[in-house]
Amino acid sequence: KQEVTQIPAALSVPEGENLVLNCSFTDSAIYNLQWFRQDPGKGLTSLLLIQSSQREQTSGRLNASLDKSSGRSTLYIAASQPGDSATYLCAVKVTSGSRLTFGEGTQLTVNP
Amino acid sequence: GAVVSQHPSWVICKSGTSVKIECRSLDFQATTMFWYRQFPKQSLMLMATSNEGSKATYEQGVEKDKFLINHASLTLSTLTVTSAHPEDSSFYICSAEPALQETQYFGPGTRLLVL
């Protein structure tokens, strides 16, 4: 059974810092991995999707990497801003058409 | 593009009543829709997967007679919480997956409070 873990559970940083969020999964045979953002009381917004054949994806100040062999992914946020404050969730899909398995999330607070 | 809506966004009801939540894909056809439940400070828990025109597949531990799911069209799925009780109070989120795509688009969620 695939399990997804995110570390740290919470992170508080001053504005402008670069930061890394970690995601690990127990079964390296994944189809893809996705990072989401969730604001309080809201749904999920997809940030980056990495296919199993890819090593990284970038969007603006966000960069996500994937190392399937070690069962790890990182989300790098450059020059953090207060508007980045949210909970970040990673999720893996094991096979095409299968469900998403979510981690518990990292609650990020960026202080002005 | 790829917008998913949920209605209502908030619902408060008395214990014993039934509540229906709608999930719509606004600009695409969704062959598969998913229903999740989220408790405060916790991650999403998949409740069931529904495919248009067929019965939903429920996750272990989810009562199918209590959480009725109907996926009658390629743009609409409904979740009915029957005889709701206070322990059913939660945040319910749906997602929709277009055909031939491997990503889910999430709705804004529905907060249910059962008194």
mmCIF file with all atom_site columns, all heavy atoms in Angstrom, chain B residues 14-27:
data_model
loop_
_atom_site.group_PDB
_atom_site.id
_atom_site.type_symbol
_atom_site.label_atom_id
_atom_site.label_alt_id
_atom_site.label_comp_id
_atom_site.label_asym_id
_atom_site.label_entity_id
_atom_site.label_seq_id
_atom_site.pdbx_PDB_ins_code
_atom_site.Cartn_x
_atom_site.Cartn_y
_atom_site.Cartn_z
_atom_site.occupancy
_atom_site.B_iso_or_equiv
_atom_site.pdbx_formal_charge
_atom_site.auth_seq_id
_atom_site.auth_comp_id
_atom_site.auth_asym_id
_atom_site.auth_atom_id
_atom_site.pdbx_PDB_model_num
ATOM 1   N N   . LYS B 1 14 ? -30.244 20.043 10.427  1.00 0.00 ? 14 LYS B N   1
ATOM 2   C CA  . LYS B 1 14 ? -30.559 19.358 11.676  1.00 0.00 ? 14 LYS B CA  1
ATOM 3   C C   . LYS B 1 14 ? -30.236 17.875 11.551  1.00 0.00 ? 14 LYS B C   1
ATOM 4   O O   . LYS B 1 14 ? -30.289 17.287 10.454  1.00 0.00 ? 14 LYS B O   1
ATOM 5   C CB  . LYS B 1 14 ? -32.042 19.522 12.017  1.00 0.00 ? 14 LYS B CB  1
ATOM 6   C CG  . LYS B 1 14 ? -32.443 20.950 12.361  1.00 0.00 ? 14 LYS B CG  1
ATOM 7   C CD  . LYS B 1 14 ? -33.920 21.013 12.732  1.00 0.00 ? 14 LYS B CD  1
ATOM 8   C CE  . LYS B 1 14 ? -34.333 22.429 13.106  1.00 0.00 ? 14 LYS B CE  1
ATOM 9   N NZ  . LYS B 1 14 ? -35.783 22.494 13.472  1.00 0.00 ? 14 LYS B NZ  1
ATOM 10  N N   . SER B 1 15 ? -29.901 17.282 12.668  1.00 0.00 ? 15 SER B N   1
ATOM 11  C CA  . SER B 1 15 ? -29.616 15.859 12.706  1.00 0.00 ? 15 SER B CA  1
ATOM 12  C C   . SER B 1 15 ? -30.816 15.070 12.187  1.00 0.00 ? 15 SER B C   1
ATOM 13  O O   . SER B 1 15 ? -31.959 15.371 12.525  1.00 0.00 ? 15 SER B O   1
ATOM 14  C CB  . SER B 1 15 ? -29.291 15.434 14.139  1.00 0.00 ? 15 SER B CB  1
ATOM 15  O OG  . SER B 1 15 ? -28.900 14.084 14.183  1.00 0.00 ? 15 SER B OG  1
ATOM 16  N N   . GLY B 1 16 ? -30.540 14.091 11.328  1.00 0.00 ? 16 GLY B N   1
ATOM 17  C CA  . GLY B 1 16 ? -31.606 13.257 10.787  1.00 0.00 ? 16 GLY B CA  1
ATOM 18  C C   . GLY B 1 16 ? -32.052 13.631 9.386   1.00 0.00 ? 16 GLY B C   1
ATOM 19  O O   . GLY B 1 16 ? -32.735 12.848 8.721   1.00 0.00 ? 16 GLY B O   1
ATOM 20  N N   . THR B 1 17 ? -31.679 14.807 8.942   1.00 0.00 ? 17 THR B N   1
ATOM 21  C CA  . THR B 1 17 ? -32.059 15.228 7.595   1.00 0.00 ? 17 THR B CA  1
ATOM 22  C C   . THR B 1 17 ? -31.018 14.759 6.583   1.00 0.00 ? 17 THR B C   1
ATOM 23  O O   . THR B 1 17 ? -29.912 14.360 6.950   1.00 0.00 ? 17 THR B O   1
ATOM 24  C CB  . THR B 1 17 ? -32.215 16.748 7.493   1.00 0.00 ? 17 THR B CB  1
ATOM 25  O OG1 . THR B 1 17 ? -30.958 17.360 7.823   1.00 0.00 ? 17 THR B OG1 1
ATOM 26  C CG2 . THR B 1 17 ? -33.278 17.232 8.464   1.00 0.00 ? 17 THR B CG2 1
ATOM 27  N N   . SER B 1 18 ? -31.397 14.814 5.315   1.00 0.00 ? 18 SER B N   1
ATOM 28  C CA  . SER B 1 18 ? -30.484 14.437 4.239   1.00 0.00 ? 18 SER B CA  1
ATOM 29  C C   . SER B 1 18 ? -30.002 15.683 3.518   1.00 0.00 ? 18 SER B C   1
ATOM 30  O O   . SER B 1 18 ? -30.743 16.654 3.363   1.00 0.00 ? 18 SER B O   1
ATOM 31  C CB  . SER B 1 18 ? -31.166 13.488 3.260   1.00 0.00 ? 18 SER B CB  1
ATOM 32  O OG  . SER B 1 18 ? -31.448 12.255 3.884   1.00 0.00 ? 18 SER B OG  1
ATOM 33  N N   . VAL B 1 19 ? -28.790 15.646 3.076   1.00 0.00 ? 19 VAL B N   1
ATOM 34  C CA  . VAL B 1 19 ? -28.177 16.795 2.408   1.00 0.00 ? 19 VAL B CA  1
ATOM 35  C C   . VAL B 1 19 ? -27.572 16.342 1.085   1.00 0.00 ? 19 VAL B C   1
ATOM 36  O O   . VAL B 1 19 ? -26.865 15.337 1.042   1.00 0.00 ? 19 VAL B O   1
ATOM 37  C CB  . VAL B 1 19 ? -27.057 17.402 3.293   1.00 0.00 ? 19 VAL B CB  1
ATOM 38  C CG1 . VAL B 1 19 ? -26.342 18.522 2.551   1.00 0.00 ? 19 VAL B CG1 1
ATOM 39  C CG2 . VAL B 1 19 ? -27.631 17.892 4.609   1.00 0.00 ? 19 VAL B CG2 1
ATOM 40  N N   . LYS B 1 20 ? -27.848 17.101 0.033   1.00 0.00 ? 20 LYS B N   1
ATOM 41  C CA  . LYS B 1 20 ? -27.296 16.781 -1.278  1.00 0.00 ? 20 LYS B CA  1
ATOM 42  C C   . LYS B 1 20 ? -26.267 17.831 -1.676  1.00 0.00 ? 20 LYS B C   1
ATOM 43  O O   . LYS B 1 20 ? -26.529 19.038 -1.591  1.00 0.00 ? 20 LYS B O   1
ATOM 44  C CB  . LYS B 1 20 ? -28.386 16.726 -2.343  1.00 0.00 ? 20 LYS B CB  1
ATOM 45  C CG  . LYS B 1 20 ? -27.849 16.395 -3.746  1.00 0.00 ? 20 LYS B CG  1
ATOM 46  C CD  . LYS B 1 20 ? -28.925 16.429 -4.806  1.00 0.00 ? 20 LYS B CD  1
ATOM 47  C CE  . LYS B 1 20 ? -29.787 15.209 -4.757  1.00 0.00 ? 20 LYS B CE  1
ATOM 48  N NZ  . LYS B 1 20 ? -30.714 15.133 -5.920  1.00 0.00 ? 20 LYS B NZ  1
ATOM 49  N N   . ILE B 1 21 ? -25.110 17.378 -2.122  1.00 0.00 ? 21 ILE B N   1
ATOM 50  C CA  . ILE B 1 21 ? -24.033 18.260 -2.595  1.00 0.00 ? 21 ILE B CA  1
ATOM 51  C C   . ILE B 1 21 ? -23.794 17.962 -4.068  1.00 0.00 ? 21 ILE B C   1
ATOM 52  O O   . ILE B 1 21 ? -23.662 16.794 -4.462  1.00 0.00 ? 21 ILE B O   1
ATOM 53  C CB  . ILE B 1 21 ? -22.735 18.029 -1.792  1.00 0.00 ? 21 ILE B CB  1
ATOM 54  C CG1 . ILE B 1 21 ? -22.993 18.242 -0.295  1.00 0.00 ? 21 ILE B CG1 1
ATOM 55  C CG2 . ILE B 1 21 ? -21.639 18.954 -2.287  1.00 0.00 ? 21 ILE B CG2 1
ATOM 56  C CD1 . ILE B 1 21 ? -21.825 17.805 0.582   1.00 0.00 ? 21 ILE B CD1 1
ATOM 57  N N   . GLU B 1 22 ? -23.747 19.020 -4.863  1.00 0.00 ? 22 GLU B N   1
ATOM 58  C CA  . GLU B 1 22 ? -23.516 18.861 -6.298  1.00 0.00 ? 22 GLU B CA  1
ATOM 59  C C   . GLU B 1 22 ? -22.089 19.210 -6.674  1.00 0.00 ? 22 GLU B C   1
ATOM 60  O O   . GLU B 1 22 ? -21.515 20.159 -6.136  1.00 0.00 ? 22 GLU B O   1
ATOM 61  C CB  . GLU B 1 22 ? -24.477 19.753 -7.091  1.00 0.00 ? 22 GLU B CB  1
ATOM 62  C CG  . GLU B 1 22 ? -25.917 19.343 -7.022  1.00 0.00 ? 22 GLU B CG  1
ATOM 63  C CD  . GLU B 1 22 ? -26.778 20.174 -7.955  1.00 0.00 ? 22 GLU B CD  1
ATOM 64  O OE1 . GLU B 1 22 ? -26.268 21.193 -8.495  1.00 0.00 ? 22 GLU B OE1 1
ATOM 65  O OE2 . GLU B 1 22 ? -27.956 19.823 -8.144  1.00 0.00 ? 22 GLU B OE2 1
ATOM 66  N N   . CYS B 1 23 ? -21.564 18.476 -7.622  1.00 0.00 ? 23 CYS B N   1
ATOM 67  C CA  . CYS B 1 23 ? -20.228 18.738 -8.169  1.00 0.00 ? 23 CYS B CA  1
ATOM 68  C C   . CYS B 1 23 ? -20.362 18.788 -9.682  1.00 0.00 ? 23 CYS B C   1
ATOM 69  O O   . CYS B 1 23 ? -20.847 17.821 -10.295 1.00 0.00 ? 23 CYS B O   1
ATOM 70  C CB  . CYS B 1 23 ? -19.278 17.624 -7.745  1.00 0.00 ? 23 CYS B CB  1
ATOM 71  S SG  . CYS B 1 23 ? -17.613 17.751 -8.429  1.00 0.00 ? 23 CYS B SG  1
ATOM 72  N N   . ARG B 1 24 ? -19.959 19.906 -10.266 1.00 0.00 ? 24 ARG B N   1
ATOM 73  C CA  . ARG B 1 24 ? -20.088 20.070 -11.722 1.00 0.00 ? 24 ARG B CA  1
ATOM 74  C C   . ARG B 1 24 ? -18.762 20.442 -12.360 1.00 0.00 ? 24 ARG B C   1
ATOM 75  O O   . ARG B 1 24 ? -18.025 21.285 -11.837 1.00 0.00 ? 24 ARG B O   1
ATOM 76  C CB  . ARG B 1 24 ? -21.087 21.189 -12.043 1.00 0.00 ? 24 ARG B CB  1
ATOM 77  C CG  . ARG B 1 24 ? -22.520 20.878 -11.690 1.00 0.00 ? 24 ARG B CG  1
ATOM 78  C CD  . ARG B 1 24 ? -23.446 22.025 -12.096 1.00 0.00 ? 24 ARG B CD  1
ATOM 79  N NE  . ARG B 1 24 ? -24.809 21.776 -11.649 1.00 0.00 ? 24 ARG B NE  1
ATOM 80  C CZ  . ARG B 1 24 ? -25.708 21.112 -12.345 1.00 0.00 ? 24 ARG B CZ  1
ATOM 81  N NH1 . ARG B 1 24 ? -25.389 20.631 -13.551 1.00 0.00 ? 24 ARG B NH1 1
ATOM 82  N NH2 . ARG B 1 24 ? -26.920 20.923 -11.882 1.00 0.00 ? 24 ARG B NH2 1
ATOM 83  N N   . SER B 1 25 ? -18.462 19.814 -13.472 1.00 0.00 ? 25 SER B N   1
ATOM 84  C CA  . SER B 1 25 ? -17.340 20.252 -14.297 1.00 0.00 ? 25 SER B CA  1
ATOM 85  C C   . SER B 1 25 ? -17.915 21.235 -15.314 1.00 0.00 ? 25 SER B C   1
ATOM 86  O O   . SER B 1 25 ? -18.807 20.885 -16.078 1.00 0.00 ? 25 SER B O   1
ATOM 87  C CB  . SER B 1 25 ? -16.669 19.064 -14.983 1.00 0.00 ? 25 SER B CB  1
ATOM 88  O OG  . SER B 1 25 ? -17.596 18.323 -15.749 1.00 0.00 ? 25 SER B OG  1
ATOM 89  N N   . LEU B 1 26 ? -17.423 22.464 -15.292 1.00 0.00 ? 26 LEU B N   1
ATOM 90  C CA  . LEU B 1 26 ? -18.069 23.534 -16.044 1.00 0.00 ? 26 LEU B CA  1
ATOM 91  C C   . LEU B 1 26 ? -17.651 23.605 -17.503 1.00 0.00 ? 26 LEU B C   1
ATOM 92  O O   . LEU B 1 26 ? -18.432 24.021 -18.353 1.00 0.00 ? 26 LEU B O   1
ATOM 93  C CB  . LEU B 1 26 ? -17.806 24.880 -15.371 1.00 0.00 ? 26 LEU B CB  1
ATOM 94  C CG  . LEU B 1 26 ? -18.336 25.011 -13.939 1.00 0.00 ? 26 LEU B CG  1
ATOM 95  C CD1 . LEU B 1 26 ? -18.112 26.419 -13.414 1.00 0.00 ? 26 LEU B CD1 1
ATOM 96  C CD2 . LEU B 1 26 ? -19.815 24.653 -13.870 1.00 0.00 ? 26 LEU B CD2 1
ATOM 97  N N   . ASP B 1 27 ? -16.436 23.223 -17.813 1.00 0.00 ? 27 ASP B N   1
ATOM 98  C CA  . ASP B 1 27 ? -15.964 23.420 -19.184 1.00 0.00 ? 27 ASP B CA  1
ATOM 99  C C   . ASP B 1 27 ? -15.289 22.188 -19.750 1.00 0.00 ? 27 ASP B C   1
ATOM 100 O O   . ASP B 1 27 ? -14.522 22.282 -20.723 1.00 0.00 ? 27 ASP B O   1
ATOM 101 C CB  . ASP B 1 27 ? -15.028 24.628 -19.251 1.00 0.00 ? 27 ASP B CB  1
ATOM 102 C CG  . ASP B 1 27 ? -13.957 24.575 -18.190 1.00 0.00 ? 27 ASP B CG  1
ATOM 103 O OD1 . ASP B 1 27 ? -13.894 23.575 -17.449 1.00 0.00 ? 27 ASP B OD1 1
ATOM 104 O OD2 . ASP B 1 27 ? -13.180 25.545 -18.091 1.00 0.00 ? 27 ASP B OD2 1
#
